[in-house]
Amino acid sequence: MASVLAPRAVSRLFRCVRVVTMVVAAMACVAAGAHAQSADRSVSGTVFDSIGDPVPGATVTLLRDANRVAETVTDEHGHFAFSRVDEGRYAIDARLTGFVPGTAAPFFVGAHSHAVVDVTLQVGLRQDVVVTASATAVPASEAGASVTVIDRDTIEATAKPDVLDAIRLVPGAAVTQSGARGGVTSVFVRGGAANFNKVLIDGVPANDVGGAFDFSNLTATGIDRVEVLRDANSVLYGSDALAGVINLTTRRGTTRTPEASLSFDGGNFGTTRQEASLGGTVQRLDYFVDYSHFDTDNDLPNNGYKNDTFASRFGWALGPRSDVSLTVRHVESTAGSPNAIGVYGIADDTTLTSNATYVSAALQSRLGSGWETTLRFTSMSLGNHSVNPSPTGEPYDPFDSGFPSYLGDVVTLTGANGYSATGRGILDYFDTYPIPYDANTTRRAGYGQATRHLSSWIDLSAGARVEREEGSSVYGQFGEPTSTSRTNAGAFAEVRAAAHGVFATAGIGYDHNAIFKSAVTPRVSLAAYVRKPSSTAAFGDTKVTFNAGTGIKAPSIAQELSSLYAIVQALPADAQPDVNGLSPIGPERNRSIDVGVEQGLWGGRARVGATFFHNRFSDLIEFVDAGVLPQLGIPPSAAAATGFGAYVNSSSYWARGVEFSGEAAIGAYVRVSASYTHLKAVVTDSFASSALAPATNPAFPDIQIGAFGPLVGAAPFRRPADTGSLLAMFTNGRFQAVLSAYFAGTSDDSTFVSDADFGNSLLLPNHDLDAAYQKLDASASYRIVPRVKWYLSLENLLNQREQGVFGFPALPRSVRTGVTITLGGDGRTQP
């Protein structure tokens, strides 16, 4: 392990783990007293259906290590109880004809404890518990918000080394990767920008300051589930939860006998992957560790990619529903960056290295039957280093100035809209080489939440968070480092009510940010059943949903330091221009609303849904040229003081559309899910477009072009109007086959390139510049013997060189095959 992780990163990781381990130990000591009360060792609870009604007559089985310990039947109120239970870890299984068998999360019964465990039975298709929609986890059947869960079974069946293809299966989520593996990968949720999503890894805010997150380095190693909320929710998550929340959870050990797993595979383009994991339980302790190494050459010059990921989770049960957990995830990657080879014709020689560490220490406690509390401390460290060792291309200095540009090959650029341009773009500019760039970010946070169960139908939650952000960067050999630090705080209150098939959640959040001071974000969510679930009716339950809320996002470090306010304030007092109402750069905002309906069909074995959504993004931050700042009411003297320009809150756009989704279980062997999203997004305000564009290409002078950003009235870049996905899974005994597909329609974009004379002759009209594409993948596995599984992964079966980002061709058809060997565990095998 140490041989593949940089020594400085390892030292930083271990130092962080030591600190958090001491915090965990202190939390455990504090919490231990709360669970020392004397009680008989027993288990009781209630079995509910998907709309919260008790289920009488259900058979409830108490399991230990997958073995039956005791069995009972629920009474007329859905209650069950087991007495004189031995100390240890247990699970509950509940069954009743007409329902899908239900299980509760494993729990620990101590020497003097009573466990209260509720189970939900569902009709037909399984619906997971979701954790991002409200302050407490709820079954998806009771959630009004638009949430999709990709479980571990699906992730493993598709046999992908990363999670970005799993996110492609989410309705309303457009995934864009710049080139092959390791290329910068963005997720656009319901038309929002790539940095409008709060990304959580085991509760750790993983976004860089300002919301940016690159999914290219996020592997499937140790991932138990991926949950995507497609609604604004700054009430619970504060800054960055502008368009949605993407939450990833690490696996836990579950077997008393340690379970070890080893995987080895390889494929074309020099691809190899190895992974080893170990997990299990020892009395109150559960543990899981996983390590993977991925290496590929990809198919272009200077495009190799390596990734080493370590993931772990340790838990200590304090009581039946109380535990302390520690998670650590560390990622290191190296990637060649050939740049937009489709634009320049030759590959650049830049390399990128990055490392990221995510640590979470959490105490979750259930005190009696009325209180649930959560206390969490998190740490995120992110470091990026890039270097362009030498200029690439042919030097071009027509005026013998001594400051040459470096040109790519002669290329012909053709957009999906049919327009073409031929010429040579500037690949590298005059500078002092090599050109290094370093950026480092740390985020430390503390979070506390308490929920009071006031009655069987109403819960009240409240919480607070404090976060310390620090960031620094330096460009070039002689660049001056820039840095900033922020201390932010927030609080929220939320009430959740349920009665007669109606589930409502309402909350309000308050954030105090070091830059923009105060922001208030309300939110309301509603789910109501017009028809109840049925295991016999062809036309089953009908669920309608409604959500309305607001979200905010803080500025990035670059936006903060180069904002109009910061530039003016940095001037000497006697040189500061008088600007009325000048204030610090503010938060970007969203007001979102959606209305949906879900319909159960075929005795609950199929489900379809449709949701209309509308997002109004405002106060968006953009860089405005100094010559255009006066249009915003900025005095010319203040505009001149900015040099080239400054960041201001001056842009806005709306995005609305409709999502359709469906899933079905066909017989005992086939599971199918599909989605389709139509999106319409329009820019309503943008001063940056006025400053840097509209440009025109001499080849078509009557068409205005947004060179570096969309024009007012046009669509934001890289938001396809149409996206869709398909997943078909066949499982029969030892054999499993999966077909997954993703398609994206045309989208607006720019070539972002200047010709040899710094002109516009290589710009193309923005509208429909990026072509539509389809990505069709297949995987299969066969369990040769109970402990050995062979698997195969085929990607891009149609061999399309799609360009989600113009000029960056995706990987052609690729194949990987290998084996997984499992040792130990509880003896059960899965197909």
Side-chain angles (χ1 to χ4, degrees):
M1 175 72 180
S3 63
V4 297
L5 301 180
R8 186 168 61 180
V10 171
S11 176
R12 206 164 44 234
L13 170 63
F14 286 161
R15 186 165 58 249
C16 187
V17 170
R18 282 198 301 269
V19 173
V20 174
T21 300
M22 289 188 290
V23 173
V24 170
M27 291 162 58
C29 292
V30 171
H35 296 277
Q37 70 260 25
S38 178
D40 292 334
R41 291 192 301 268
S42 58
V43 178
S44 65
T46 305
V47 177
F48 296 100
D49 64 15
S50 58
I51 60 173
D53 292 335
V55 178
T59 300
V60 180
T61 304
L62 183 66
L63 302 171
R64 185 175 185 183
D65 301 323
N67 297 316
R68 178 183 175 278
V69 174
E71 191 171 276
T72 188
V73 176
T74 57
D75 62 19
E76 66 272 18
H77 303 293
H79 298 322
F80 64 89
F82 299 99
S83 59
R84 293 188 293 275
V85 175
D86 293 336
E87 181 175 329
R89 289 183 178 270
Y90 293 90
I92 292 290
D93 177 271
R95 297 171 183 259
L96 183 65
T97 301
F99 293 89
V100 176
T103 59
F107 57 93
F108 185 86
V109 178
H112 303 286
S113 63
H114 171 70
V116 178
V117 182
D118 295 333
V119 186
T120 299
L121 291 180
Q122 297 168 347
V123 173
L125 298 168
R126 188 187 75 181
Q127 298 188 59
D128 297 278
V129 171
V130 297
V131 298
T132 57
S134 60
T136 56
V138 297
S141 57
E142 298 180 9
S146 299
V147 187
T148 299
V149 176
I150 308 298
D151 59 23
R152 176 184 162 195
D153 291 342
T154 301
I155 295 172
E156 291 186 348
T158 53
K160 303 293 177 60
D162 44 43
V163 299
L164 64 93
D165 279 300
I167 298 176
R168 293 185 196 271
L169 300 174
V170 176
V175 179
T176 299
Q177 187 169 37
S178 57
R181 297 199 189 279
V184 175
T185 303
S186 303
V187 177
F188 303 90
V189 174
R190 288 183 169 177
N195 58 354
F196 286 2
N197 308 308
K198 188 80 168 188
V199 179
L200 301 171
I201 300 177
D202 295 313
V204 182
N207 304 74
D208 202 348
V209 176
F213 187 84
D214 180 8
F215 285 85
S216 65
N217 294 325
L218 192 56
T219 68
T221 304
I223 296 295
D224 186 59
R225 53 184 261 155
V226 179
E227 182 173 321
V228 181
L229 169 70
R230 303 185 301 283
D231 287 309
N233 197 348
S234 286
V235 171
L236 295 181
Y237 304 105
S239 180
D240 304 333
L242 200 64
V245 178
I246 301 175
N247 183 55
L248 300 103
T249 306
T250 300
R251 289 174 54 188
R252 303 189 78 142
T254 58
T255 60
R256 188 158 56 171
T257 301
E259 181 177 85
S261 177
L262 300 172
S263 296
F264 311 88
D265 66 53
N268 56 345
F269 308 118
T271 302
T272 60
R273 183 177 183 272
Q274 305 87 40
E275 181 176 3
S277 68
L278 176 69
T281 64
V282 180
Q283 291 298 316
R284 293 178 180 269
L285 172 70
D286 64 85
Y287 59 92
F288 176 80
V289 293
D290 198 351
Y291 168 73
S292 70
H293 173 74
F294 182 85
D295 192 350
T296 184
D297 296 332
N298 287 317
D299 70 322
L300 297 175
N302 188 39
N303 200 199
Y305 174 65
K306 295 182 180 180
N307 181 291
D308 292 277
T309 296
F310 170 79
S312 65
R313 182 170 190 147
F314 299 91
W316 183 266
L318 302 171
R321 286 301 187 190
S322 302
D323 69 0
V324 175
S325 65
L326 170 68
T327 62
V328 179
R329 187 176 187 91
H330 183 78
V331 182
E332 292 204 354
S333 67
T334 302
S337 180
N339 209 322
I341 197 167
V343 171
Y344 302 106
I346 56 176
D348 200 1
D349 57 356
T350 299
T351 59
L352 307 171
T353 60
S354 67
N355 64 82
T357 304
Y358 312 97
V359 182
S360 171
L363 165 65
Q364 293 183 308
S365 178
R366 184 168 182 172
L367 306 178
S369 60
W371 284 95
E372 289 185 23
T373 61
T374 299
L375 183 63
R376 177 178 286 113
F377 297 93
T378 65
S379 171
M380 183 275 280
S381 300
L382 178 65
N384 290 295
H385 171 73
S386 70
V387 60
N388 188 347
S390 60
T392 302
E394 180 182 330
Y396 179 72
D397 187 7
F399 302 106
D400 295 323
S401 64
F403 305 102
S405 302
Y406 300 88
L407 307 181
D409 292 344
V410 176
V411 296
T412 297
L413 307 181
T414 302
N417 49 25
Y419 291 95
S420 296
T422 300
R424 303 178 73 179
I426 301 176
L427 177 56
D428 280 333
Y429 293 86
F430 177 83
D431 208 326
T432 302
Y433 288 82
I435 306 175
Y437 175 73
D438 291 275
N440 296 278
T441 302
T442 60
R443 302 179 75 168
R444 311 276 195 264
Y447 172 85
Q449 173 188 310
T451 297
R452 173 62 175 168
H453 302 287
L454 298 177
S455 68
S456 60
W457 60 276
I458 190 166
D459 294 341
L460 180 63
S461 301
R465 55 185 173 270
V466 178
E467 182 177 52
R468 176 71 173 179
E469 301 175 327
E470 297 179 351
S472 63
S473 65
V474 58
Y475 175 84
Q477 297 185 38
F478 309 107
E480 290 292 329
T482 60
S483 63
T484 189
S485 61
R486 309 174 186 173
T487 299
N488 311 315
F492 78 91
E494 182 183 273
V495 60
R496 182 172 182 273
H500 308 296
V502 178
F503 306 91
T505 301
I508 188 167
Y510 170 79
D511 281 87
H512 185 274
N513 186 275
I515 304 302
F516 59 75
K517 305 311 177 186
S518 298
V520 177
T521 52
R523 179 175 179 269
V524 63
S525 179
L526 178 70
Y529 281 84
V530 179
R531 291 170 54 92
K532 292 186 176 182
S534 171
S535 61
T536 57
F539 195 75
D541 66 287
T542 304
K543 174 185 174 183
V544 295
T545 61
F546 171 81
N547 295 274
T550 56
I552 57 171
K553 186 185 79 64
S556 68
I557 294 174
Q559 291 168 341
E560 172 196 347
L561 298 179
S562 297
S563 67
L564 179 63
Y565 178 84
I567 292 173
V568 170
Q569 291 297 308
L571 296 173
D574 57 354
Q576 290 184 11
D578 184 17
V579 183
N580 292 328
L582 183 63
S583 59
I585 195 167
E588 300 180 292
R589 300 178 182 274
N590 177 30
R591 290 181 297 170
S592 69
I593 187 171
D594 68 54
V595 180
V597 60
E598 298 178 19
Q599 181 62 55
L601 301 169
W602 197 16
R605 289 169 291 178
R607 193 166 193 85
V608 296
T611 302
F612 169 81
F613 60 87
H614 182 95
N615 290 311
R616 182 68 172 86
F617 301 104
S618 60
D619 294 332
L620 304 184
I621 300 170
E622 59 180 355
F623 188 84
V624 177
D625 186 85
V628 180
L629 283 172
Q631 297 182 29
L632 291 169
I634 306 302
S637 58
T642 67
F644 294 103
Y647 285 102
V648 293
N649 298 95
S650 59
S651 179
S652 63
Y653 72 93
W654 55 260
R656 62 171 175 250
V658 61
E659 296 170 354
F660 298 98
S661 62
E663 59 178 327
I666 304 172
Y669 308 122
V670 178
R671 169 191 160 199
V672 178
S673 62
S675 71
Y676 167 74
T677 302
H678 177 71
L679 172 72
K680 174 71 172 179
V682 174
V683 176
T684 51
D685 293 291
S686 175
F687 282 86
S689 293
S690 300
L692 305 176
T696 56
N697 187 324
F700 17 89
D702 297 331
I703 301 177
Q704 294 183 341
I705 300 171
F708 300 100
L711 301 174
V712 173
F717 290 166
R718 299 172 189 169
R719 315 296 208 278
D722 301 283
T723 56
S725 66
L726 171 69
L727 177 71
M729 186 181 303
F730 173 83
T731 305
N732 186 2
R734 297 182 176 185
F735 177 74
Q736 185 176 65
V738 178
L739 180 70
S740 59
Y742 174 80
F743 80 86
T746 58
S747 60
D748 290 10
D749 206 346
S750 175
T751 62
F752 294 101
V753 62
S754 298
D755 61 29
D757 298 314
F758 297 90
N760 300 328
S761 65
L762 287 175
L763 293 179
L764 296 176
N766 306 123
H767 185 59
D768 287 346
L769 179 64
D770 294 333
Y773 66 89
Q774 304 81 40
K775 186 175 188 291
L776 183 65
D777 303 331
S779 62
S781 65
Y782 182 76
R783 194 166 292 279
I784 303 170
V785 296
R787 298 289 184 178
V788 179
K789 182 179 74 173
W790 164 84
Y791 59 89
L792 171 71
S793 176
L794 299 167
E795 295 194 53
N796 195 5
L797 295 177
L798 302 178
N799 205 33
Q800 289 194 355
R801 300 306 300 272
E802 75 268 11
Q803 297 185 27
V805 178
F806 191 87
F808 291 83
L811 203 65
R813 186 182 296 116
S814 62
V815 58
R816 291 171 33 250
T817 187
V819 296
T820 296
I821 302 170
T822 303
L823 303 174
D826 60 15
R828 295 178 299 169
T829 60
Q830 299 295 328

